[in-house]
Amino acid sequence: MIVWFVILYLLVSVGIGLYAGTRVHNAKDFAVAGRSLPLPIVTATVFATWFGAETVLGISAIFVKEGLRGVVADPFGSSLCLILAGLFFARRLYRMNLLTIGDYYRLRYSRSVEVLCTLCIVASYLGWVSAQIKALGLVFHVVSDGSVTQYLGMIIGAAIVLTYTTFGGMFSVAILDFVQITVIMGGMLYIGHLISGLTGGVGAVISHAAAAGKLEFFPEASLHAWIPFLGAWMTMMLGSIPQQDVFQRITSAKDEKTAVRGSVLGGTLYFLFAFVPMFLAYTATLVDPHMFGTLLEKDPQLVLPTLILQHTPVAAQIVFFGAVLSAIMSCSSATLLAPSVAFSENIVKGSCPGMNDRTFLRTMRIVLVCFTAMVLAFALNSQASIFKMVENAYKVTLVAAFIPLFAGLYWSRANNQGALCAIAAGLTTWIVLELVGPPAPLWPPQLVGFLMAGAGMIGGSLLPRRGCAIRAPDHPKTME
């Protein structure tokens, strides 16, 4: 029965996505939904894009093992990313009327900065989207009782998401997100109420977690504890801001006020609902400590699906897996679209400036198919956990793209030379430390790279300029 429900749900999702494709008439419709989305849709797509595989299966498993300190990157860092993006970046970027975040780097600095930052941003999506595809394979494997292998499940899931995203673009992502947020929120709350009854209620579960030290968030008062803690927090909180999917949600809104409110509301909703899977996974360890303790050591990502299959009625199982599929599909479609649009606009089109709109739209769809194939190959061969794949994705944008974005918006003396120095210093430092190890174990390579990028921006901008450094135009050219 669950399998048939999953099939029906997938068919409906594809149908909605294909219907949304009828509204795509040009590249602007495909990339940013014609900048026409109202507040409920923007809020839904911000929330649903973030609430993906790592939230349901990754964060919940890490929380059971390490407590709140283990999930400082997500949901604490990732939700703050959305809130900060809404408060400090949305209004300024929306006014520029751009198609991609890469366009900003070109207008503020130069073509070189645009290409370098875009390549870093696109590369960061490889791990993020692969985590979603890996989770789809896991869900198909579980609901089919092993009849569908995880590898085959990944291929099926990637093909389904690719189909409706290729036709509908941002319109299909936004409409499906609005539908799926209802399934996610309603399903998770219902399952939480049902599961809590197995252990004496919500209060009993929270009390047990507190007694076990799982609710302790801040580390002990020492540099050895705080520096890695801040490094993990900043990776998601700041490294996620210069991302095309965040930018698309901002610029898809009908006006700048909607862009700000949608980002803040979506981030707040995400933070609140991210605790539901954590609650469910911890409840599992109380329902059957021996079995789930063994599962935690073997594959912690299976804790939550196993709990639902073995301790809830069929109706609850349908609701749960419907919510999980909603979360994963909404996240994977949006994060497939974002890098494909960025690469098409800032790399391909930048090299072929005479491309007309019809050809550009076709190019974006072709790049989307190619990127999906790369992501699928990476997911099939990666042994990393879903949580680690997502957490590692934002290191490259933290060290290369955040400082040029922030300095360009808030420091008038930031220039092209400074941006290039920031990218070079941040990337070089991070890569070297990842290969040879940090100078001290407490300093995460991405945090050192971030600090070096900041120093590079300041030093490069203040030093005498060489060549034709480009400053921000007073009235930046906007998208037609």
Side-chain angles (χ1 to χ4, degrees):
M1 186 174 180
I2 299 177
V3 173
W4 285 111
F5 168 79
V6 169
I7 293 173
L8 176 62
Y9 183 82
L10 293 175
L11 289 174
V12 171
S13 297
V14 172
I16 294 174
L18 294 178
Y19 168 74
T22 62
R23 301 185 61 181
V24 176
H25 305 294
N26 52 50
K28 185 177 179 181
D29 290 341
F30 188 82
V32 292
R35 291 170 63 94
S36 61
L37 301 182
L39 180 60
I41 302 292
V42 175
T43 302
T45 195
V46 168
F47 169 85
T49 300
W50 239 243
F51 200 95
E54 78 291 346
T55 312
V56 180
L57 303 175
I59 293 175
S60 58
I62 295 296
F63 171 75
V64 172
K65 296 181 70 174
E66 303 178 22
L68 286 181
R69 288 177 190 166
V71 295
V72 59
D74 193 4
F76 289 92
S78 54
S79 57
L80 272 174
C81 157
L82 297 173
I83 294 172
L84 292 176
L87 294 176
F88 299 104
F89 295 86
R91 199 177 298 275
R92 291 169 179 254
L93 292 175
Y94 188 91
R95 290 173 183 171
M96 296 181 72
N97 194 23
L98 307 173
L99 190 68
T100 68
I101 187 69
D103 291 341
Y104 168 81
Y105 292 109
R106 181 183 69 252
L107 293 174
R108 181 61 176 88
Y109 300 111
S110 68
R111 169 68 176 162
S112 298
V113 176
E114 172 195 17
V115 171
L116 289 171
C117 287
T118 298
L119 290 176
C120 290
I121 291 168
V122 171
S124 72
Y125 280 96
L126 191 60
W128 173 275
V129 189
S130 296
Q132 314 309 316
I133 301 301
K134 193 171 185 178
L136 279 174
L138 179 65
V139 170
F140 289 144
H141 177 70
V142 171
V143 299
S144 67
D145 197 22
S147 299
V148 176
T149 65
Q150 290 194 38
Y151 291 109
L152 180 58
M154 291 182 202
I155 296 171
I156 294 172
I160 292 170
V161 174
L162 175 64
T163 299
Y164 68 76
T165 308
T166 300
F167 283 95
M170 190 59 194
F171 268 122
S172 68
V173 170
I175 293 173
L176 276 170
D177 283 352
F178 187 70
V179 173
Q180 289 165 337
I181 191 176
T182 306
V183 179
I184 294 169
M185 297 175 72
M188 285 294 170
L189 290 176
Y190 169 68
I191 294 297
H193 171 73
L194 191 66
I195 293 298
S196 65
L198 300 176
T199 56
V202 176
V205 177
I206 294 176
S207 297
H208 191 282
K214 300 296 183 181
L215 301 186
E216 295 176 2
F217 179 65
F218 294 107
E220 61 186 44
S222 70
L223 287 178
H224 289 274
W226 269 95
I227 291 178
F229 179 81
L230 291 175
W233 198 342
M234 288 175 58
T235 299
M236 290 286 283
M237 180 174 64
L238 301 183
S240 302
I241 290 177
Q243 286 288 359
Q244 177 62 20
D245 59 323
V246 175
F247 179 85
Q248 276 181 279
R249 268 123 207 87
I250 291 172
T251 52
S252 296
K254 64 179 183 179
D255 53 51
E256 64 182 63
K257 184 180 294 185
T258 300
V260 174
R261 292 178 177 176
S263 185
V264 173
L265 287 174
T268 303
L269 276 178
Y270 172 74
F271 179 76
L272 295 175
F273 271 84
F275 285 92
V276 179
M278 287 190 268
F279 171 82
L280 294 175
Y282 191 80
T283 302
T285 64
L286 304 183
V287 172
D288 192 337
H290 176 71
M291 184 188 74
F292 288 107
T294 303
L295 201 57
L296 275 173
E297 298 300 324
K298 183 180 178 181
D299 189 352
Q301 294 168 165
L302 289 173
V303 168
L304 201 46
T306 304
L307 170 70
I308 301 301
L309 286 174
Q310 295 189 5
H311 294 277
T312 63
V314 174
Q317 295 173 25
I318 291 174
V319 170
F320 173 78
F321 285 106
V324 172
L325 279 173
S326 295
I328 298 172
M329 290 174 64
S330 62
C331 189
S332 54
S333 60
T335 48
L336 277 174
L337 179 65
S340 303
V341 170
F343 188 85
S344 301
E345 163 75 3
N346 302 113
I347 304 299
V348 179
K349 189 178 180 181
S351 302
C352 307
M355 187 182 298
N356 60 40
D357 190 78
R358 182 184 294 274
T359 304
F360 182 45
L361 178 59
R362 187 185 306 116
T363 299
M364 284 194 286
R365 285 173 165 153
I366 293 172
V367 171
L368 178 62
V369 174
C370 295
F371 187 74
T372 304
M374 291 176 56
V375 165
L376 180 59
F378 185 81
L380 290 172
N381 292 282
S382 176
Q383 300 300 317
S385 69
I386 291 172
F387 184 81
K388 283 299 178 184
M389 290 173 77
V390 171
E391 186 180 21
N392 292 335
Y394 294 112
K395 292 180 179 179
V396 64
T397 45
L398 176 69
V399 302
F402 177 78
I403 291 295
L405 173 64
F406 178 79
L409 289 174
Y410 286 98
W411 189 35
S412 61
R413 298 191 64 177
N415 57 39
N416 183 57
Q417 182 173 274
L420 291 173
C421 288
I423 296 169
L427 273 178
T428 303
T429 303
W430 172 63
I431 292 173
V432 170
L433 293 183
E434 287 284 357
L435 293 176
V436 304
L442 74 158
W443 286 95
Q446 73 272 18
L447 180 56
V448 182
F450 171 78
L451 295 175
M452 290 301 296
M457 172 59 77
I458 295 173
S461 297
L462 296 180
L463 286 174
R465 302 183 194 180
R466 300 180 61 184
C468 299
I470 300 175
R471 294 191 62 182
D474 293 330
H475 301 285
K477 181 181 178 182
T478 56
M479 180 180 65
E480 297 297 332

